[in-house]
Amino acid sequence: MTIHDHPGKECIDTVRAFNRFYTRQIGLLDEGLLKSPFSLTEARVLYELANRDGLVASDLVRDLGLDPGYVSRLLKKFEERGLVEREASEADARRASIALTLAGSQAFAPLNQDSHDQVRALLDRLAPADQERLVKAMRTVHDLLGDRPEPKVPYILRPLQVGDIGWVTRRQGMLYAQEYGWDETFEALVAEILGEFVKNFVPQWERSWIAEREGEVVGSVFVVRKSPKVAKLRLLYVEPSARGLGIGARLVDECITFARAKGYRTLTLWTNDILGAARRIYQEAGFRLVDEERHHSFGKDLVGQTWNLEL
Amino acid sequence: MTIHDHPGKECIDTVRAFNRFYTRQIGLLDEGLLKSPFSLTEARVLYELANRDGLVASDLVRDLGLDPGYVSRLLKKFEERGLVEREASEADARRASIALTLAGSQAFAPLNQDSHDQVRALLDRLAPADQERLVKAMRTVHDLLGDRPEPKVPYILRPLQVGDIGWVTRRQGMLYAQEYGWDETFEALVAEILGEFVKNFVPQWERSWIAEREGEVVGSVFVVRKSPKVAKLRLLYVEPSARGLGIGARLVDECITFARAKGYRTLTLWTNDILGAARRIYQEAGFRLVDEERHHSFGKDLVGQTWNLEL
DNA sequence: CCATTTTATTGACTCAGTCAACTAAATGAT
DNA sequence: ATCATTTAGTTGACTGAGTCAATAAAATGG
């Protein structure tokens, strides 16, 4: 696979179909503006003015993709009608920041309310579960096509919650199936391990960390008690899409800190030699390879490795 | 929870933000039309004519949300330029179906190509995994907001594949957590059962069915061998969004057929009394309640039930 | 300090889209 | 059958949203 395959034709057609569909959708929503004294573009400008401070004419031109002349005239009209005020910039005499006056806000309020009500009506037609799916899908499209600002917090760590076990199982199963051709018995092993983890969970001695990035699970790791002196790190994984953020190292680090704090003497883990990225993380963290054995699992011939860290 | 909660404010705001964003996005894409001799609306009309047969003027008015007078004039202009032909309808003398001529197709081709290339360029900027996410999200939005045509095949049944174990675990865990407040130990139990199912899987005596609807898993059931004479039905579930299609009954039916074919004498299952929808399916299928016992599991006081069907 | 770029404005257009009035055919209620 | 109502499409008369090019003034950058 090259870095960028050309997108398939069905993909392109689906996106185009969506664009046509949404063109119409937006047309329907904007019909609500017909009775208002503002055009669609005017309403867009009002919205921007109402929701952002310190805007300058050229911001509107750029962000809404409008003609500078048109914006100039439009603002002049708004100013004459007392809807906006301009305040000359001190730093740059050409620019003037534009703000809605009270009258402007009042003129915008019903527009805003209409739009709000329309969207609510749209959502009301859907079952709650579908509302969530819709919103999530829209957010995905928005994030992918918009110039996504890197999230301020690249990821968070949190404990296990309902749904995580299955999700982690699924993702690990699919990931190793895709990358190494492992069969479904690996996914089954993950399911068993996680099932047992929760069933026999001892909060004092064991812990789980789920890495979440923008609401999506992107990594996880588990520490279980093998004996009073030995803790085992299990099921470290990081989503391919979230690699390079140091999540893997961070997760391992949390495990080590936890194991130390609990008074374990050894932190052990089992992995396979082909998992290079993981091995590097373990080495960096100070783990030493203590044992290797061949085995046939998950439909492949593999070399299992045991790594230990003396705490 | 009422049937339709009012959508949360953040939902509404997200949808509105998406609408603003996509208004701009469509504006960007349509800039490609500027050099062409057609307006956006003309291009939309041409697209419809190129992709659908037997169209009538009023179809365009309805489907594209246009003014009838405008369409009338637009078609007249196209006809004068030799881009479209009209053929009077036999059934209704007022109507005439409209079709692109060869010249019309030729005029449309570059537009179509441009749009295609633009979308390809858009997708090319994304990693393949993100392309898939985008397309899937768009399809979700389209399906939810468009008047979705009922799929021709409402669902299909298929055997387990990689990723299903985790998905089924997650969905069951989340479903019962949401509907009955069960804690994560239920999800863990599902994970263990499924892990063991795959680990000890005996194809001759056991089987799984996954119900899939439009590419999404919407239900599942498993049959395991308890003894040479007794098979156990486990983990029946149907997604709320796919209920009412008879998937649950169908899954149970498959289990019964399978158990009979394999020569089992009894099909047994364990459930809880609060799961009313499931109970109805079991009763319909001929199962008899043979045992009940109170137990405390999943953070709740429950009444477990064993149901048997003599084959 | 001078060429270039950015920000904003203005004049001059135009054509995409609207609105209302109207014809002709089809439908449907009685 | 028939007559009121609805549907399909047409035409005339507008208008105003948006475009394009020229210009001014300020800021930037080598």
Side-chain angles (χ1 to χ4, degrees), chain B residues 56-58 69 72-73 76 86 94-96:
Chain B
V56 157
S58 54
S72 172
R73 239 182 295 263
K76 197 163 101 186
R86 303 196 221 202
R94 295 168 307 180
R95 322 174 79 184

